[in-house]
Amino acid sequence: MRHLLVQTLREFLRPYKGTVWVVVLLLLVQSIGNLYLPNLNADLINNGVAKGDIGYIWRIGAIMLAISALIIGASIVIAYFSSKVSMSFGRDVRKAVFVSVERFSTRELNKFGAPSLITRNTNDVQQVQMVLFMGLTMMVAAPITGIGAVIMALKTNVRLSGLLLVAVPAMGLLIYWLLRRIVPLFRVMQVRIDRINLVLREQIAGVRVIRAFVKTRYEEERFAGANNELAQTTLSVTRTFAIMFPALTFILNISSIAVIWFGAKLIDTGSMPIGNLTAFLSYIMQILMSVMMAVMMSLMIPRAEASAERIQEVLLTPSSVIETTDPKSPKARKGLIEFKDVEFRYPGAEHPVLSGISFTAKPGVMTAIVGSTGSGKTTLLNLIPRFIDASAGQILMDGIDVRDQSLENVWSEIGFVPQRAFLFGGTIASNLKYGKADASDEELWKALAVAQADEFVKEKEDGLNSPVSQGGTNFSGGQRQRLSIARAIVKQPQIYILDDSFSALDYSTDAKLRVALEEHAKNSTLIVVAQRVSTIMKADQIVVLNNGKIDGIGNHADLMKSCKTYQEIVLSQLSPEEAAS
Amino acid sequence: MSQRRPSPPMGGGPRGGPMGGFGGPPAKSKDFKGSLKRLLKELRGERNILIGVVALITTSVTIGAFGPKLLGRATNYIFYGYLGRKLPAGISKADAVTQLKNTGQNRLAQMLQESGVVPGQGVDFHAIARIIALVTVLYLFSSLFSWIQGYLMAGVTNRTLYRLRRIAEEKIGRLPLSYFDTQSRGDLLSRVTNDIDNIGNSLQQGLAQILNSILTVLSVLAMMLWISPTLALVALIAIPASMFASIFIAKKSQKQFIAQWDWTGKLNGHVEEMHTGHSLVKVFGRRQQAITDFGTLNDALFESSFKAQFISGIIQPVTQLVSNLIYVAIAVLGGYRVATGSMSLGDVQAFIQYSRQFGMPLAQIAGLMNVVQSGVASAERLFELLDAKEEEGDPVSFKEIGRAVGKIEFKDVAFRYTKDQPLLENFNLSVTPGQTVAIVGPTGAGKTTLVNLMMRFYDIWEGSILLDGVDIRDYKRDDLRRQFGMVLQDTWLFSGTMRENIGYGSSTPTDDKVEEAAKAANIDHFLRALPAGYDSLLTDDNSTVSNGERQLLTIARAFMADPAILILDEATSSVDTRTEVLVQQAMAKLRSGRTSFVIAHRLSTIRDADVILVMDKGGLVEQGSHEALMASKGFYYDLYASQFEASIND
């Protein structure tokens, strides 16, 4: 477990090895300088002050000044390089994670979920970056200073150094005890923070329902419960923390006092020159500070460890859709899609989502796919652009298996409109041009007309240049869908794949769009998944799915006679007379 | 010892200040003084404790400040003993001084003259013991008070945050619907979560710490002046210089931190977009562009974060430099003065210790400025929310209503959301109890507006809406809303148990009633099949419960409410056919005997309705029964007939 953090650091710091060593070297210089200064001070007192030698005092003073300058210079350079290295690290890891995710298939993406991937690329990387930065500046300095100070202390006076045997464990134990109490409390606090945020999010999202059912008081009580719990935990945490610093200071101070007392004894018997007392005080301070720093740093390690694990999870997950190294291209791009005995099963699942799927979608033909939710419709569509790969069988595009073609080639054939319409931040024009960057305004308007979207775009003040917020939330559901369809149309693909893309439209718009699209794309292949029978009825070919298998293929009239599943679906929406017309 | 106080990481690292920038958004407040004043007012209830805290901090810092001086005295005794041992016993100090003068060691003689050396005698351990005992007690109390103060402060912050959260949540319950529809919900959520947390951070870290740091600096300065005004001059010049330098650098780094925060937001936005639209990015051939764009933002983030970190990282070395310069200056000058007898060694010792105590508090003050600024900015945002206009209160004299009969009338109603977009004008409607009203029309036609108006989520501009012959504004809002039951397209359920969610519909839910409602809504079987049955928890995602099942749960909830008037939105395109049948049946059952307003999508519903309201672009276009409307061959006819419109190719 512990290894992932180290592994991540090692892997991504490799290009900066040289800089890291420079930083370590400078930290060494800095620490040695800091350790030497008290020594010089002792010297100053012993040989300067005690002997009344003014000249000596000045000389030593000058040396101390020089060393101070050296230390400061080192500090600045350290700040520069440690910032650079840790931020570069962060940048490199973020890039690696992003590129990894871009290679994912839909399956890997869904396994993690988009929100989790976003957090991993931001919060988790930041955690590790923070630890690296603090580590470079502090965690290297602490042991060097600590050990160096111990050596100097011993050099100064071995007997007095015996105090360390008491002070260091005392400090160590105190911090250990505090951490043992705090760390689990932190976890609980996080859970409670998440809970309270969840409740607030719900209350804001469901405000209509809450008011309609007159549940404002109920919600206040629900919130109060979460608020109380959070307050309790937070209080425990902050109160425990409040002990830490005063107690540590007390230990430090008592140690100073002890040094003075026992030091006095040694000086009295002549076993130690007086100047060394001051030096010793400095050393003991430095040792105890290093202990404190080191232990506090270890607070951060578990969190960074967890973050490193989450990062590596992404980096080490291979994509389940692998691109071929020897791509073939079909002789002609017509848009013919053939499914040959296709099966899709999640690894380890008992039942496949799809099995034995065979049908052909020809250009100039509208193929509608129907079936109840969970019957595998979206999965079927996702197999064509290789968002996921089939576990058995073949999918041919223009006669060649899609897995034998390059992904870019496969994608260039397809105009895809997903179930949930998603627009990118920018303008209407930038969205429409998403598949064809050099499309002219004329082409854009033409596509909008087909998608029944030209009217509302014309009505907008900025027309094609109207701003689109991220996700397209400044448009209604129906408008988003129509723009998504227009986007696909602009691309002029050979194959249109529309996943329940008319659901937010009313019947009238739905019908007009279907007619316009069929006319515009009369030489392309249309594959449509729909819930509305009125949309499906007109298709040239209807594929009926039930529990992942094909229950029937044909046109409306044929299926009404022969396919029970189809009958059910139709009659749940239309009366028998309407179904017959 | 300098009072460096680590605080519990509430999101950032263990240190704010010079290392910081990650804790919260480095926002700038519009009215710093005003918001700070108001924030402090919020603490008024804790006034007595805060006075105690201030007293404790002052005492703790002050008595702690004496420590080094007293220990300096102990050092003197040691020094005197050290020198004493060097001199032969028996002679008096005066003689020893004369002796030294005779041998030309004037400086040494001078030092000896001023000191308390007794020739021949060693270290006076009694004196030292007394001092040490006193100092130990002082340090003990200093630490004790410091702890108590921290303990109390934790309580103050905690209670304040608890209260702020409660007030904010209660405020949310009083805001008008228009607030939620027009303001960003994410922003609202941020104010009651992130901003309150940030205020907590500032209170916890900022308040006591600033006082502590300032007092430390002042007390140390005082002690230094007491010991030696001349040496203190060195400090007096260098300290302000150091402070200005660190504040100056902090400001420069602040600019970079803001840029860093900015780029982080942009980068995260890009990542979020690319991952949410993952499939689209691929299938439209935009993968490489996504990576390139990411690289550009990533590099910009690197630049600003590197600069921010580096510049703020200089603060420490700079203050350290000043501290070291003082150290050396004092060591030399002090050493000189001791050698010439004008200052005792112990005093120099103490002075050196004091001078080392400056660095930390000064650097901290610079960092804490940012923390406080950030906290006040968050407080400002919170106060903006608390000052927002609330939903109108209930009428002073209201009409009582038990259970409505269900007669609804709209009389010459006019309404619009914004002045420049007309919606309803001269709208009239009369619904008798038990009737079903189907509302149809293209998207954006204003169908949900009728719902908003009946429930008084929004108030009409002209005309009146009557329930059982009484203007709805004459009822208490809660009483009015209790008459309605809603089943909307957006199936809002909360993170409780199934039972709690269904029971939400009633103010007195019992287990029996819940099960009855579930049965009526065709969801009883599904619930019993769950591992924990009715007590199963509803999770945030759709893993255990499908969209269709969520719909059934909301229908069960409406059954619980047993309302006189029902509002149904039929949009259920994402439901599979099996569940679709169940939902239809349940909705039909729910509707029987109640006045219903149905935003209809199913032809069967529309056809069977008593009245059909055909809306378009916010206005009522046609009204009547299915047969009547079909006969008039108007808008409705067009809409309906397009179902089976022969395609041009046929």
Side-chain angles (χ1 to χ4, degrees), chain A residues 41 49-50 54 57-58 61 65 68 72 75 80 83-84 87-88 91 94-95 98 101-104 109 118 122 126 130 133 186 195 197-198 201-215 218-220 222-223 227-228 230-231 235 238-239 241 243 245-246 250 253 257 261 264-265 267-268 274 278 285 289 292 372-373 387 411 416 422 424-425 434-435 470 487 491 503-504 506-508 515 531 568 572 578, chain B residues 1 3-4 6-7 9 22 78-79 85 107-108 122-123 125 132 139-140 143 146-147 151 154-155 158 162 165 169 172-173 175 177 181 185 189 193 268-269 272-273 275 278-284 286-287 290 294 298-299 301-302 305-306 309-310 317 321 324-325 327-328 332 335-336 338 349 391 442-443 452 455 457 478 481-482 486 492 494-495 504-506 540 557 573 575-578 584 601 607 640 642-644 648:
Chain A
N41 196 10
V49 178
I54 301 297
I57 293 179
W58 280 115
L65 215 58
S68 289
I72 300 308
S75 302
Y80 181 85
S83 307
K84 198 153 205 206
M87 297 304 148
S88 300
R91 174 194 57 194
R94 282 195 296 267
K95 178 139 199 205
F98 186 75
V101 176
E102 285 303 299
R103 299 248 169 275
F104 277 177
L109 195 81
I118 295 166
T122 52
Q126 210 175 65
M130 215 39 204
F133 180 73
F186 261 134
R195 168 90 194 143
N197 287 350
L198 173 67
R201 227 185 319 130
E202 285 178 341
Q203 289 184 351
I204 292 175
V207 66
R208 263 190 171 76
V209 175
I210 296 172
R211 304 266 172 105
F213 284 106
V214 189
K215 287 290 195 174
Y218 179 94
E219 287 298 327
E220 274 174 19
R222 199 162 75 95
F223 178 80
N227 201 8
N228 273 325
L230 177 62
L235 193 60
T238 42
R239 286 211 159 140
F241 232 91
I243 300 178
F245 191 69
F250 188 64
N253 289 333
I257 295 177
W261 177 258
K265 292 242 152 111
I267 291 175
D268 197 42
I274 185 161
T278 333
M285 282 308 125
M289 298 293 259
M292 203 155 75
S372 46
T373 314
F387 290 156
W411 294 336
F416 194 86
F422 187 80
F424 295 96
Y434 206 61
Q470 230 178 51
R487 175 174 59 196
K491 193 178 168 186
S503 57
D506 62 83
Y507 285 110
S508 158
V515 168
Q531 297 275 20
E568 264 178 35
S572 77
E578 284 156 349
Chain B
M1 218 61 244
Q3 304 273 32
R4 179 167 42 83
S7 54
F22 296 115
I78 299 177
F79 191 47
R85 283 239 185 264
R107 289 231 182 77
L108 216 51
V123 178
F125 282 104
I132 284 190
Y139 277 149
L140 183 64
S143 291
S146 183
W147 171 38
Y151 186 89
N158 201 37
Y162 176 83
R165 286 204 180 97
E169 193 264 347
I172 290 180
L175 291 169
L177 258 292
D181 289 340
R185 292 189 177 195
L189 185 63
T193 52
N268 290 355
E272 193 178 334
E273 242 197 355
H275 289 343
H278 186 85
S279 313
L280 290 169
V281 172
K282 288 200 292 197
V283 84
F284 279 89
R286 289 296 205 137
R287 202 165 57 173
F294 179 85
N298 198 16
D299 288 338
L301 176 59
F302 161 72
S305 56
F306 156 53
Q309 210 59 44
F310 171 48
L321 175 67
N324 277 4
L325 282 175
Y327 177 54
V328 171
V332 171
Y336 179 79
V338 171
Q349 196 96 293
E391 210 174 33
T443 38
N452 281 339
M455 304 280 282
F457 287 145
D478 284 352
R481 289 175 181 163
R482 281 204 192 92
M486 284 200 325
W492 183 86
F494 67 95
S495 55
Y504 207 71
S506 160
D540 221 0
R557 182 172 67 196
S573 55
V575 173
D576 70 270
T577 37
R578 295 256 154 73
Q584 272 190 53
H601 285 243
R607 214 184 19 221
Y640 186 72
S642 70
Q643 293 286 325
F644 310 103
I648 304 175

Side-chain angles (χ1 to χ4, degrees), chain B residues 445-461:
Chain B
K447 301 184 287 234
T448 42
T449 308
L450 288 182
V451 176
N452 281 339
L453 294 176
M454 279 191 289
M455 304 280 282
R456 284 198 74 196
F457 287 145
Y458 286 83
D459 276 324
I460 53 182
W461 289 31

Side-chain angles (χ1 to χ4, degrees), chain B residues 287-308:
Chain B
R287 202 165 57 173
Q288 197 47 51
Q289 185 67 38
I291 294 177
T292 311
D293 288 341
F294 179 85
T296 314
L297 292 169
N298 198 16
D299 288 338
L301 176 59
F302 161 72
E303 280 295 330
S304 57
S305 56
F306 156 53
K307 284 194 190 121

Side-chain angles (χ1 to χ4, degrees), chain A residues 346-412:
Chain A
Y346 284 108
E350 222 186 292
H351 296 295
V353 178
L354 293 169
S355 63
I357 304 292
S358 301
F359 72 94
T360 306
K362 296 201 185 91
V365 167
M366 172 159 134
T367 305
I369 306 191
V370 298
S372 46
T373 314
S375 56
K377 305 192 292 285
T378 303
T379 311
L380 196 155
L381 292 185
N382 284 346
L383 287 168
I384 302 175
R386 290 192 74 197
F387 290 156
I388 42 177
D389 270 342
S391 38
Q394 281 187 310
I395 300 166
L396 306 181
M397 185 186 281
D398 293 324
I400 301 186
D401 191 320
V402 287
R403 282 170 294 194
D404 291 333
Q405 301 186 41
S406 77
L407 283 171
E408 301 286 339
N409 270 342
V410 170
W411 294 336
S412 64

